[in-house]
């Protein structure tokens, strides 16, 4: 018997089945999105914890090293993501260790982020913490958000920081979320 001539009872059952299938599909999609958001958040938290660990380990290396210069040379080799690095400032805001050691000795106390905030002064005043700020290097078309974790050495003579752009820090979380969204899109 053709569907168009089906009994009203069959049409009601057919509509109910389609409705339940739609609800199940919507619920599955919602659960998938929730899982992606939770996993992305967990991966971001792990990345944040790793940045803290790098900073605190760098502080310990600096503090425990027999030779300050040897410790700085060792710390100069650390990379976080593609462009992130460990740096060390004295209490006046002078680089003891800069990226690639290219700016060692330069005073950056009055450096401003892309919004004009004196973020180095803020770090030196707070001694320990985490800061997110917009940063734009020369030649870049627009600012990118950068995150830094910083700690003052126990003797109070230096501030050790570990900084990286957020897109580099969270790249694994973003890649994972994109892959799951792609898979979810194919399944749906």
């Amino acid at each position: 018997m053709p569907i168009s001539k089906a009994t009203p009872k069959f049409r009601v059952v057919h509509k109910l089945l389609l409705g339940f299938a739609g609800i199940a599909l919507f619920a599955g999609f919602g659960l998938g999105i929730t899982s992606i958001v939770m996993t992305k958040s967990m991966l971001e938290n792990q990345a944040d914890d790793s940045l803290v660990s790098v900073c605190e380990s760098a502080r310990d290396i600096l503090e425990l090293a027999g030779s300050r210069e040897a410790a700085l040379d060792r710390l100069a080799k650390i990379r976080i993501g593609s462009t992130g690095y460990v740096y060390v400032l004295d209490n006046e805001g002078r680089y003891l260790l800069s990226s690639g050691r290219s700016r060692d000795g330069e005073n950056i106390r009055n450096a401003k982020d892309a919004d004009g905030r004196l973020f180095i002064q803020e770090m030196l005043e707070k001694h320990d913490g985490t800061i997110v700020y917009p940063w734009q290097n020369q030649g870049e078309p627009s600012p990118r958000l950068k995150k830094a974790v910083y700690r003052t050495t126990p003797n109070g003579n230096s501030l050790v920081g570990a900084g990286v752009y957020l897109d580099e820090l969270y790249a694994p979380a973003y890649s994972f979320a994109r892959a799951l969204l792609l898979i979810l899109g194919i399944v749906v």
Side-chain angles (χ1 to χ4, degrees):
M1 166 184 309
I3 292 178
S4 61
K5 294 187 179 188
T7 62
K9 184 177 178 183
F10 179 77
R11 280 188 254 161
V12 169
V13 170
H14 187 252
K15 287 181 181 177
L16 282 173
L17 286 174
L18 284 175
F20 285 131
I23 290 170
L25 188 62
F26 183 73
F29 185 74
L31 286 174
I33 294 295
T34 301
S35 295
I36 290 168
V37 169
M38 289 175 60
T39 302
K40 180 178 168 280
S41 177
M42 181 187 69
L43 290 170
E44 287 174 349
N45 288 337
Q46 287 176 348
D48 289 341
D49 291 345
S50 295
L51 191 61
V52 169
S53 293
V54 167
C55 179
E56 291 177 352
S57 295
R59 179 193 57 196
D60 293 343
I61 289 169
L62 187 64
E63 197 63 27
L64 299 173
S67 162
R68 184 174 186 90
E69 197 58 36
L72 292 172
D73 286 339
R74 185 172 171 195
L75 295 175
K77 296 175 184 172
I78 296 173
R79 282 288 159 253
I80 307 161
S82 300
T83 62
Y85 56 94
V86 171
Y87 54 92
V88 181
L89 304 172
D90 68 12
N91 290 332
E92 299 303 314
R94 192 174 305 105
Y95 269 129
L96 300 175
L97 172 66
S98 60
S99 178
R101 308 226 53 187
S102 61
R103 297 174 64 190
D104 289 6
E106 182 181 339
N107 191 316
I108 61 165
R109 180 180 190 79
N110 294 320
K112 295 179 181 178
D113 66 17
D115 290 339
R117 181 172 73 172
L118 294 165
F119 69 101
I120 297 295
Q121 284 184 21
E122 185 178 324
M123 292 166 57
L124 291 168
E125 289 167 8
K126 290 185 178 177
H127 304 288
D128 295 315
T130 300
I131 188 169
V132 176
Y133 57 95
W135 187 254
Q136 185 172 2
N137 288 317
Q138 287 183 335
E140 290 182 348
S142 60
R144 294 164 57 197
L145 287 178
K146 199 166 194 179
K147 184 174 222 172
V149 173
Y150 55 95
R151 302 285 186 263
T152 300
T153 56
N155 64 17
N157 292 336
S158 307
L159 182 129
V160 178
V164 63
Y165 286 108
L166 287 182
D167 57 347
E168 293 177 25
L169 181 64
Y170 298 146
Y174 297 156
S175 294
F176 181 79
R178 278 192 298 273
L180 283 181
L181 282 171
L182 179 63
I183 291 167
L184 189 60
I186 291 171
V187 171
V188 175

